[in-house]
């Protein structure tokens, strides 16, 4: 062990010299491997579109009115005809339907017909039919969700980099485009509170938002909701301020208070129009949180970096987020065995294309409408240069955290600083925001210590730390190249808090794979067990669970001595607390929902109180 770390120190010194000389090239490599990827919509140079309407080309879409049965999505049929077909022809979906020459600034960078807004999705015109290249005819199928405006389809030639507008379809629209949709539950600041956030097209000048809720099957009561949105001007950089901008609609949050513990509630979203009529969503159900410290079976799912995917094959997302639907569908299938979900950063990877947030909230709606869907800030939500973040990159595409903090509620004191604590039964969670400084002396470091110290381990024996970037340990390839095996400065400052307050498990995303680390402190495994841990909490187990759906990250070829289990696949973890002294940890693959790694923890309160290295309270024998 000692010789290994001596070798590692020499390796790190060599790598430091190497990386200084090649910092620019390495930065590009690391950002790419870290999940930057290429947002498919960014491939479309829409502002370079030129006018090439052809009288013999056509695009026809039906049905014209969508959602007549109350659904918030609909499959549509698109018939395409082109007199000059090519393998580079593509079909874009735009919303609103009048998408050209309306909001573009006139500059030399734009061409007639002055398109300056990217489509919300696209397919190549020969999708599933190579004969289009010869016949110029094809029928395509798209799955559209309600995004508060009408839609039109446009046929382009010239590929994605030199688009030529050939034909525009008829407009289609949902029966109620402004309907309340995509509810997202989250824990409030008190254990007996549940928040409901949803999206609609109704501003407060048109309607009053509220939630009607109560015990399932009994009388319901109404709770008011607040309304937020964000304008283009709150975006910090391209493409969110330019071609990626899309009107986000309005976001309403209601606080359901004084809930009875572990009780089933029903709820529905409502808007009272000023003419006295009402707009309603369908009815949903959730189970309220257990009382803090309550001794009952509690099941928690944790993962990161899921992304979004299109069920109709649009946008080449099979290459971009290949596991997103696998994880989503696995969680939906297992929803009866899940009490709460933590998605620890990198949600849709919208990367500045705001329409993709609607797509993501629609994707997770079956989960987030039924159990609290708690989120953390990742680099693809927050990072934009010169905006006060810890990392000076544009991984968010100019979003600088605004869509994430507006569309999802977290019980933080300041949602722009995405760190918070929350309790669920026998669990106490401290959620970090790794996109802000966490080093000793920083504002967040003080929060982390306060949060960890607030855990009453007699009532809530399970202390969990989570954040997006790996502050602990990872055998990922780019971390191995750096010689750090985690974010620089991560362990240096925060590990003393994990040890002092005896954190059971620390979770991270960012690295797109699964890895479990032994109970560890100061680079040393402090327990040789791999399947069952009992007795004193003398080190924290670190888990990387960033295989939620985005493209996978390779492991280092250097075998780290503290790595217990590695899996280069899509998956998620589940914690099941049976009582105050028994916890089951499971790692499932998204492809089949089966368990591939697991361990148990058994300990009593006295084991948490026990004195361990760097985790002892001062004592005296004085009488």
């Amino acid at each position: 062990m000692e010789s290994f770390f001596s070798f590692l120190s020499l390796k790190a010194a060599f790598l430091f010299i190497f990386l200084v000389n090649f910092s620019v090239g390495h930065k590009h490599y690391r950002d790419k491997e870290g999940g930057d990827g290429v947002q498919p919509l960014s491939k479309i140079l829409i502002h370079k579109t030129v006018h090439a309407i052809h009288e013999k080309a056509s695009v026809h879409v039906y049905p014209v009115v969508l959602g007549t049965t109350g659904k918030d999505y609909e499959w549509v049929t698109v018939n395409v005809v082109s007199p000059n077909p090519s393998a580079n022809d593509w079909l874009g979906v735009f919303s609103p339907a009048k998408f050209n020459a309306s909001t573009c600034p006139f500059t030399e960078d734009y061409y007639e017909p002055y398109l300056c807004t990217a489509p919300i999705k696209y397919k190549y015109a020969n999708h599933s039919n190579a004969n289009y290249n010869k016949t110029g005819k094809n029928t395509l199928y798209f799955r559209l969700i309600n995004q508060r405006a009408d839609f039109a389809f446009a046929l382009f030639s010239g590929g994605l980099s030199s688009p030529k507008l050939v034909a525009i379809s008829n407009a289609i629209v949902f029966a109620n485009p402004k309907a309340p949709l995509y509810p997202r539950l989250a824990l409030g600041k008190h254990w007996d509170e549940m928040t409901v956030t949803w999206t609609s097209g109704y501003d407060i000048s048109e309607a009053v938002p509220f939630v009607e809720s109560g015990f399932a099957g009994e009388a319901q009561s109404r709770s008011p909701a607040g309304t937020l949105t964000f304008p283009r001007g709150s975006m910090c950089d391209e493409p969110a301020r330019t071609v990626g901008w899309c009107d986000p609609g309005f976001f309403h949050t209601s606080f359901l208070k004084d809930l009875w513990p572990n009780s089933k509630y029903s709820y529905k979203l409502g808007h009272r129009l000023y003419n006295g009529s009402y707009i309603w969503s369908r009815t949903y159900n959730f189970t309220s949180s257990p009382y803090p410290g309550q001794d009952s079976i509690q099941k928690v799912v944790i993962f990161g970096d899921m992304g979004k995917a299109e069920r109709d094959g649009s946008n080449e997302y099979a290459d971009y987020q290949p596991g997103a639907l696998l994880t989503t569908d696995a969680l939906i299938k297992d929803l009866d065995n899940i009490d709460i979900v933590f998605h620890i950063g990198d949600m849709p990877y919208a990367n500045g294309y705001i329409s993709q947030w609607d797509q993501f909230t629609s994707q997770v709606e079956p989960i987030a409408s039924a159990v609290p869907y708690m989120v953390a800030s990742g680099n693809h939500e927050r990072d934009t240069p010169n905006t006060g973040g810890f990392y000076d990159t544009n991984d968010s595409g100019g979003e600088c955290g605004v869509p994430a903090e507006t569309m999802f509620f977290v019980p933080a004191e300041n949602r722009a600083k995405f760190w918070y604590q929350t309790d669920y039964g026998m669990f106490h969670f401290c959620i970090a925001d790794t996109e802000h400084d966490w080093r000793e002396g920083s504002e967040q470091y003080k929060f982390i210590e306060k949060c960890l110290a607030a855990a009453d381990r007699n009532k809530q024996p399970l202390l969990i730390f989570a954040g997006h970037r790996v502050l602990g340990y990872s055998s990922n390839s780019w971390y191995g190249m750096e010689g750090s095996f985690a974010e620089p400065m991560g362990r240096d400052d925060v590990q003393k808090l994990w040890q002092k307050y005896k954190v059971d498990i620390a979770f991270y995303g960012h690295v797109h794979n699964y890895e479990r680390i032994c109970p560890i402190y100061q680079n040393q495994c402090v327990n040789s067990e791999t399947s069952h841990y009992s007795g004193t909490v003398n080190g924290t187990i670190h888990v990387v669970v960033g295989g939620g759906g985005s493209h996978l990250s390779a492991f280092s070829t250097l075998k780290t001595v503290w790595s217990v289990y590695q899996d280069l696949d899509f998956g998620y973890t589940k914690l099941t607390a049976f009582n105050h002294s028994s916890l089951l940890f499971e790692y499932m693959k998204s492809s089949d929902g089966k368990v591939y790694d697991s361990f148990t923890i058994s300990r009593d309160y006295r084991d948490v109180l026990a004195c361990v290295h760097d985790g002892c309270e001062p004592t005296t024998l004085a009488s």
Side-chain angles (χ1 to χ4, degrees):
M1 175 82 73
E2 187 173 348
S3 61
F4 168 80
F5 283 107
S6 297
F7 163 74
L8 190 59
S9 298
L10 290 172
K11 178 179 174 68
F14 170 78
L15 281 169
F16 176 77
I17 297 171
F18 177 83
L19 291 169
V20 166
N21 288 298
F22 291 89
S23 59
V24 174
H26 176 253
K27 177 184 180 298
H28 173 76
Y29 167 80
R30 176 178 168 182
D31 286 350
K32 180 179 179 182
E33 292 299 304
D36 205 27
V38 177
Q39 162 60 253
L41 297 177
S42 71
K43 300 177 184 178
I44 302 173
L45 303 186
I46 198 68
H47 61 284
K48 291 188 174 182
T49 302
V50 297
H51 191 278
I53 294 292
H54 197 295
E55 61 181 8
K56 293 184 178 181
S58 65
V59 181
H60 181 71
V61 189
Y62 64 91
V64 175
V65 180
L66 314 178
T68 55
T69 61
K71 292 191 299 185
D72 55 23
Y73 69 90
E74 191 89 61
W75 284 87
V76 300
T77 302
V78 186
N79 292 319
V80 181
V81 176
S82 175
N84 302 305
S86 165
N88 289 327
D89 294 354
W90 57 277
L91 198 66
V93 186
F94 291 84
S95 182
K98 293 183 178 180
F99 56 85
N100 61 328
S102 57
T103 60
C104 299
F106 180 77
T107 70
E108 293 181 358
D109 295 327
Y110 291 89
Y111 305 85
E112 189 184 357
Y114 307 120
L115 300 190
C116 61
T117 301
I120 60 176
K121 60 167 66 178
Y122 72 92
K123 284 185 182 181
Y124 282 97
N126 61 4
H127 185 85
S128 302
N129 181 9
N131 286 332
Y132 168 85
N133 301 340
K134 297 178 181 179
T135 66
K137 296 181 179 181
N138 195 12
T139 299
L140 300 95
Y141 302 94
F142 284 82
R143 184 181 185 273
L144 300 184
I145 65 167
N146 191 342
Q147 292 186 247
R148 299 167 306 282
D150 53 1
F151 302 86
F153 289 70
L155 177 64
F156 296 84
S157 63
L160 304 180
S161 57
S162 300
K164 300 175 179 63
L165 182 61
V166 176
I168 302 175
S169 77
N170 56 295
I172 61 175
V173 67
F174 274 84
N176 182 4
K178 294 186 175 185
L181 298 170
Y182 320 130
R184 308 176 283 279
L185 300 176
L187 300 180
K189 292 187 176 181
H190 301 282
W191 72 268
D192 59 352
E193 184 176 80
M194 187 73 74
T195 71
V196 186
T197 300
W198 72 95
T199 306
S200 87
Y202 292 111
D203 192 3
I204 55 174
S205 62
E206 299 177 86
V208 177
F210 62 92
V211 171
E212 189 169 273
S213 65
F215 290 126
E218 297 187 15
Q220 309 286 288
S221 61
R222 293 180 181 177
S223 302
T227 298
L228 295 173
T229 188
F230 54 89
R232 186 198 296 258
S234 67
M235 300 292 95
C236 299
D237 205 343
E238 297 181 303
R241 290 179 69 97
T242 55
V243 297
W245 173 252
C246 176
D247 189 320
F250 300 96
F251 312 108
H252 317 280
T253 298
S254 182
F255 296 80
L256 311 185
K257 300 182 178 182
D258 299 323
L259 302 179
W260 292 43
N262 266 36
S263 300
K264 187 173 182 179
Y265 285 82
S266 63
Y267 71 98
K268 59 181 179 179
L269 319 172
H271 290 264
R272 185 182 185 276
L273 304 182
Y274 285 109
N275 63 9
S277 62
Y278 287 83
I279 303 295
W280 296 101
S281 73
R282 67 180 180 87
T283 299
Y284 302 88
N285 297 285
F286 71 86
T287 300
S288 57
S289 300
Y291 186 79
Q294 181 174 306
D295 200 345
S296 61
I297 297 178
Q298 297 152 15
K299 300 178 179 180
V300 180
V301 164
I302 304 177
F303 62 88
D305 306 74
M306 183 166 72
K308 60 162 288 287
E310 298 287 350
R311 295 188 186 274
D312 60 10
S314 296
N315 297 16
E316 301 176 289
Y317 265 105
D319 298 323
Y320 184 55
Q321 313 286 2
L325 291 181
L326 288 177
T327 300
T328 299
D329 292 344
L331 295 178
I332 293 172
K333 184 178 180 179
D334 194 37
L335 201 53
D336 288 342
N337 298 306
I338 298 172
D339 294 318
I340 184 172
V341 168
F342 285 84
H343 186 160
I344 52 175
D346 284 7
M347 290 180 268
Y349 293 83
N351 294 4
Y353 289 83
I354 307 304
S355 65
Q356 304 307 288
W357 281 93
D358 276 313
Q359 304 285 330
F360 177 73
T361 53
S362 172
Q363 176 180 303
V364 301
E365 184 258 7
I367 306 163
S369 65
V371 300
Y373 198 91
M374 311 303 294
V375 299
S377 179
N379 53 306
H380 287 279
E381 279 79 54
R382 179 61 181 83
D383 294 359
T384 306
N386 304 311
T387 60
F390 195 49
Y391 293 87
D392 207 31
T393 62
N394 195 21
D395 291 349
S396 78
E399 293 178 11
C400 53
V402 174
E405 68 195 43
T406 309
M407 297 177 71
F408 285 84
F409 179 85
V410 294
E413 293 301 318
N414 180 346
R415 283 159 70 180
K417 297 174 180 177
F418 231 94
W419 55 75
Y420 63 94
Q421 65 177 356
T422 193
D423 296 321
Y424 191 87
M426 292 176 283
F427 292 90
H428 182 72
F429 295 94
C430 297
I431 309 300
D433 179 353
T434 59
E435 308 316 297
H436 283 89
D437 193 355
W438 63 78
R439 294 170 298 177
E440 188 169 8
S442 67
E443 182 183 359
Q444 182 169 198
Y445 184 90
K446 295 173 183 176
F447 156 77
I448 293 172
E449 178 156 29
K450 183 178 179 180
C451 178
L452 297 177
D456 181 345
R457 303 298 289 276
N458 188 25
K459 296 182 176 64
Q460 294 174 296
L462 300 168
L463 181 54
I464 307 297
F465 176 88
H468 179 63
R469 293 176 185 260
V470 182
L471 301 187
Y473 297 81
S474 168
S475 300
N476 174 253
S477 59
W478 81 72
Y479 282 141
M481 289 178 64
E482 292 174 340
S484 62
F485 293 102
E487 288 297 311
M489 303 166 287
R491 294 188 298 270
D492 293 347
D493 288 349
V494 186
Q495 70 172 342
K496 67 182 72 173
L497 299 182
W498 298 326
Q499 183 73 357
K500 177 180 179 180
Y501 296 103
K502 304 181 178 68
V503 172
D504 293 290
I505 310 175
F507 289 91
Y508 314 100
H510 195 58
V511 173
H512 300 170
N513 56 39
Y514 169 76
E515 183 175 17
R516 171 162 64 101
I517 308 302
C518 63
I520 194 169
Y521 181 52
Q522 293 183 337
N523 300 345
Q524 302 289 328
C525 291
V526 295
N527 192 321
S528 59
E529 276 287 345
T530 59
S531 60
H532 178 72
Y533 304 103
S534 60
T536 58
V537 190
N538 53 4
T540 297
I541 299 169
H542 293 260
V543 178
V544 176
V545 60
S550 189
H551 63 279
L552 297 171
S553 304
F555 287 100
S556 170
T557 56
L558 182 63
K559 301 302 178 183
T560 52
V561 297
W562 27 256
S563 186
V564 176
Y565 191 97
Q566 298 179 354
D567 187 40
L568 190 63
D569 205 349
F570 306 111
Y572 55 95
T573 56
K574 180 188 287 187
L575 304 177
T576 303
F578 295 99
N579 50 50
H580 281 70
S581 58
S582 300
L583 176 75
L584 170 64
F585 172 101
E586 298 171 296
Y587 163 69
M588 286 93 155
K589 285 183 184 287
S590 300
S591 57
D592 57 16
K594 295 181 180 179
V595 176
Y596 286 80
D597 182 36
S598 66
F599 64 84
T600 56
I601 295 177
S602 298
R603 63 170 61 101
D604 295 320
Y605 182 45
R606 66 175 183 176
D607 298 322
V608 179
L609 295 176
C611 182
V612 297
H613 182 69
D614 286 349
C616 300
E617 298 294 337
T619 59
T620 177
L621 296 179
S623 61

